[in-house]
Amino acid sequence: MTGKEEPNSEATKATKANEANEPNGAYEANEPNEPYGPYGGSTGGRRQPLEPKPFLPKKGNYRDLLVYKKAECLYDMTFYFAHHYFLERKDRTIDQVVQAARSGKQNIAEGCAAASTSSETEIKLLGVARASMKEVLEDYVDYLRTRHLEQWPLDDPRTRQVQEYSKTHNRPEHYTKDIEQRSPEAICNIAITLIHQYDTMMGKLLDRLQKDFVEQGGIRERMTAARLGYRNDQKARIAELEQENARLKAHIAQLQAALSEKGGSR
């Protein structure tokens, strides 16, 4: 005997367990990597703290929305058109039409940014974007009407050609490249076709958001549901701990009885 503990002795194992802050005895899991109960966590049976679940919905990138891509195309087209064909009118038309097109795009971005904390704000801002783009539509229609230019019917081959082209072309340069070679009439009609598509998409998006709001509620409802859910989880965990405590007490009583019986038999 050297006075040193053997590497694999029980005392050495207990010391190493304490140094590693690893639970042993009653709080040890049945298996080395098995979580302890429904609220267990990492290896060794450690209990993980009960964390509230996040309740803010995760929203996608607004730039991925097809309606936003349409709005971006329309803004660039409108910016060009206003500064090239409204110059004869010495009034605020240029700024107004450009700002309306900008609103039809920027309010989508702002609405999506607010979506996580306020469904009401999201729906409101998208509604503003839709209304702004309708204002741009009226400016294009007025331009054609007051200059006795043709507005292409829906069943016109040129309108259908734009509709087909726009299904796979959603970048601003697809519409602004060589735009100076197009007539004002053609630019107006292309923009009008795109605005109708934008309006249809926005209508479907708003319908879906309103349906989601009715079914899932807004931020207040989510906050309430999250709080109630957390309280229910706390109650379930307390009940589990109480059951475990009762089991441990019974186990300790059995051990004490066994020790007493063993001591009495000596």
Side-chain angles (χ1 to χ4, degrees), residues 16 31 39 50 136-137 139 145 148 192 209 255 266:
K16 289 182 178 180
E31 296 295 336
Y39 297 99
L50 185 62
V136 180
L137 173 64
D139 281 317
R145 178 176 51 80
H148 306 290
I192 288 171
L209 292 174
L255 292 175
R266 288 181 179 179

Side-chain angles (χ1 to χ4, degrees), residues 23-48:
N24 50 26
Y27 286 93
E28 192 169 5
N30 295 328
E31 296 295 336
N33 295 322
E34 180 182 354
Y36 185 82
Y39 297 99
S42 61
T43 60
R46 293 178 185 170
R47 292 180 181 275
Q48 295 297 317

Side-chain angles (χ1 to χ4, degrees), residues 36-75:
Y36 185 82
Y39 297 99
S42 61
T43 60
R46 293 178 185 170
R47 292 180 181 275
Q48 295 297 317
L50 185 62
E51 297 290 345
K53 297 178 182 179
F55 56 85
L56 293 180
K58 295 181 180 180
K59 296 288 184 174
N61 188 346
Y62 64 89
R63 292 187 177 276
D64 292 334
L65 291 174
L66 186 55
V67 69
Y68 179 83
K69 295 177 180 180
K70 295 293 184 187
E72 200 169 36
C73 296
L74 283 164
Y75 174 77

Side-chain angles (χ1 to χ4, degrees), residues 193-248:
T193 302
L194 293 181
I195 292 174
H196 283 308
Q197 292 179 335
Y198 169 98
D199 188 67
T200 300
M201 293 176 189
M202 186 64 78
K204 292 180 179 179
L205 177 59
L206 286 169
D207 287 344
R208 193 196 73 194
L209 292 174
Q210 292 177 61
K211 181 181 178 181
D212 290 345
F213 180 79
V214 171
E215 293 178 349
Q216 303 173 16
I219 186 64
R220 293 182 183 87
E221 290 84 355
R222 292 192 184 100
M223 291 173 67
T224 300
R227 182 58 182 162
L228 291 175
Y230 183 63
R231 286 180 179 177
N232 291 334
D233 287 345
Q234 286 180 316
K235 290 178 181 179
R237 186 164 194 178
I238 290 172
E240 182 224 353
L241 292 173
E242 288 176 345
Q243 292 177 358
E244 180 62 17
N245 188 41
R247 189 187 71 80
L248 291 174

Side-chain angles (χ1 to χ4, degrees), residues 154-198:
L154 289 176
D155 58 352
D156 190 285
R158 293 167 294 183
T159 302
R160 292 178 177 176
Q161 182 181 8
V162 175
Q163 291 172 339
E164 287 299 317
Y165 180 84
S166 65
K167 288 180 180 179
T168 55
H169 296 79
N170 295 298
R171 298 178 62 87
E173 56 267 27
H174 292 151
Y175 300 92
T176 56
K177 184 180 179 180
D178 301 327
I179 193 173
E180 66 278 357
Q181 298 178 14
R182 299 192 184 101
S183 66
E185 178 183 297
I187 297 174
C188 280
N189 278 286
I190 293 171
I192 288 171
T193 302
L194 293 181
I195 292 174
H196 283 308
Q197 292 179 335
Y198 169 98

